[in-house]
């Protein structure tokens, strides 16, 4: 859905000094409206603020400006011509991951992740995981520090640092990447269809406790974790014209 030429903006800033200062300047220069009246949210901060804003599920597109450190999902900070830049921005629509995690007390915890879901050792010993995809066992035992399932939007984050692949935006796939795999030592992961359901069963959970993390929302210790894409939920991110998410993901592979 195209934005009006002069979109009504709701500004949202992180707690950092730089973001708060930018918020004061921009609110004084451009009209700030309550969320219920806005056409777009302008998020001032880093990727953490962007993820938090998207998790609010307002249905509005979010245009981020980097007042943090990495800011892969953010645009460069600039004060001039903000309404015009927002109106002309490219929109990327992404679906989050849905995580279900079971604990020893019988509880099942649910969370959404825009970037990735990680299953990580929560003690001094490596985790032992059994991996199933769509109900079929694919790996009887993975000994590792953990494993990551990520979306294309999240493939340049923790997944990339664990030597996982960068996925093109719009590709109907997910990446499954091992973190410091010990056995099988050379196994780095798999590319899975977007509609796949990945399940991790924790082996020896008392001796080798494991936690699950969905965009910073942690559950510990877990006995099993199921992860799938959630097609009924869409998040809208705006990028400067010519610097969209597809271009960013392509550029990241050549640095």
């Amino acid at each position: 859905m195209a934005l009006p030429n002069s979109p009504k903006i709701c500004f949202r800033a992180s707690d950092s000094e730089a973001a708060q200062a930018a918020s004061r300047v921009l609110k004084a220069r451009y009209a700030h409206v309550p969320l219920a009246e806005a056409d777009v949210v302008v998020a001032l901060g880093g990727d953490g603020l962007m993820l938090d804003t998207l998790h609010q599920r307002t249905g509005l597109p979010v245009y981020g400006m980097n007042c943090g450190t990495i800011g892969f999902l953010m645009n460069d900070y600039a004060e001039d011509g903000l309404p015009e830049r927002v109106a002309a921005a490219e929109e990327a629509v992404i679906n989050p991951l849905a995580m279900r995690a079971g604990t020893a007390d019988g509880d099942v915890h649910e969370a959404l992740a825009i970037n990735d879901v990680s299953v990580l050792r929560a003690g001094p010993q490596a985790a032992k995981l059994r991996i199933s995809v769509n109900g079929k066992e694919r790996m009887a035992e993975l000994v590792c520090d953990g494993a990551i399932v990520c979306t294309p939007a999240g493939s340049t984050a923790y997944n990339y640092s664990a030597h996982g692949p960068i996925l093109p935006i719009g590709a109907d796939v997910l990446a499954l990447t091992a973190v410091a795999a010990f056995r099988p030592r050379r196994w780095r992961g798999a590319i899975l269809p977007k509609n796949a359901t990945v399940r991790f069963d924790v082996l020896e959970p008392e001796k080798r406790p494991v936690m699950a993390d969905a965009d910073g929302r942690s559950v510990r210790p877990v006995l099993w974790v199921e992860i799938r894409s959630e097609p009924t939920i869409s998040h809208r991110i705006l990028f400067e014209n010519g610097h969209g998410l597809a271009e960013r993901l392509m550029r990241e592979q050549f640095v």
Side-chain angles (χ1 to χ4, degrees), residues 8 31 39 52 65 73 100 105-106 133 139 167 170 180 186 206 208 235 239-240 255:
K8 292 179 287 185
D39 297 312
D52 184 69
M65 286 204 290
L73 297 174
R100 298 177 71 246
D105 55 13
V133 179
M139 184 169 288
L167 304 176
R186 297 186 182 280
E206 294 185 1
R208 302 169 184 271
H235 297 292
F239 295 96
E240 288 281 354
V255 295

Side-chain angles (χ1 to χ4, degrees), residues 35-50:
L35 187 64
E37 301 174 16
D39 297 312
V40 63
V41 176
V42 170
L44 305 168
D47 281 348
L49 179 73
M50 173 61 79

Side-chain angles (χ1 to χ4, degrees), residues 3-7 9 30-31 79-89:
L3 288 171
N5 291 331
S6 297
I9 299 173
Y30 303 106
E79 296 175 10
D80 295 338
L82 179 60
E84 294 78 13
R85 298 201 319 274
V86 170

Side-chain angles (χ1 to χ4, degrees), residues 98 130-139 149 172-174 176 190-201 225-229:
R130 179 169 62 242
I131 303 175
S132 302
V133 179
N134 294 335
K136 182 175 182 178
E137 182 182 294
R138 293 294 182 179
M139 184 169 288
V149 176
D172 289 333
V173 296
L174 304 173
L176 166 57
I191 302 296
L192 304 174
K194 186 177 179 180
N195 62 1
T197 296
V198 182
R199 179 181 172 104
F200 298 98
D201 286 289
V225 181
E226 288 184 349
I227 306 159
R228 62 177 178 82
S229 181

Side-chain angles (χ1 to χ4, degrees), residues 112-145:
L112 295 173
I114 295 161
N115 269 352
D116 53 53
V117 174
S118 304
V119 181
L120 305 167
R121 74 177 193 180
Q125 297 199 56
K128 280 189 178 181
L129 306 172
R130 179 169 62 242
I131 303 175
S132 302
V133 179
N134 294 335
K136 182 175 182 178
E137 182 182 294
R138 293 294 182 179
M139 184 169 288
E141 183 179 284
L142 171 65
V143 182
C144 58
D145 279 356

Side-chain angles (χ1 to χ4, degrees), residues 72 166-168 245-255:
F72 182 80
I166 293 179
L167 304 176
L245 190 53
E247 170 62 22
R248 289 164 184 246
L249 291 169
M250 178 66 74
R251 187 173 63 235
E252 193 73 13
Q253 297 177 81
F254 293 92
V255 295

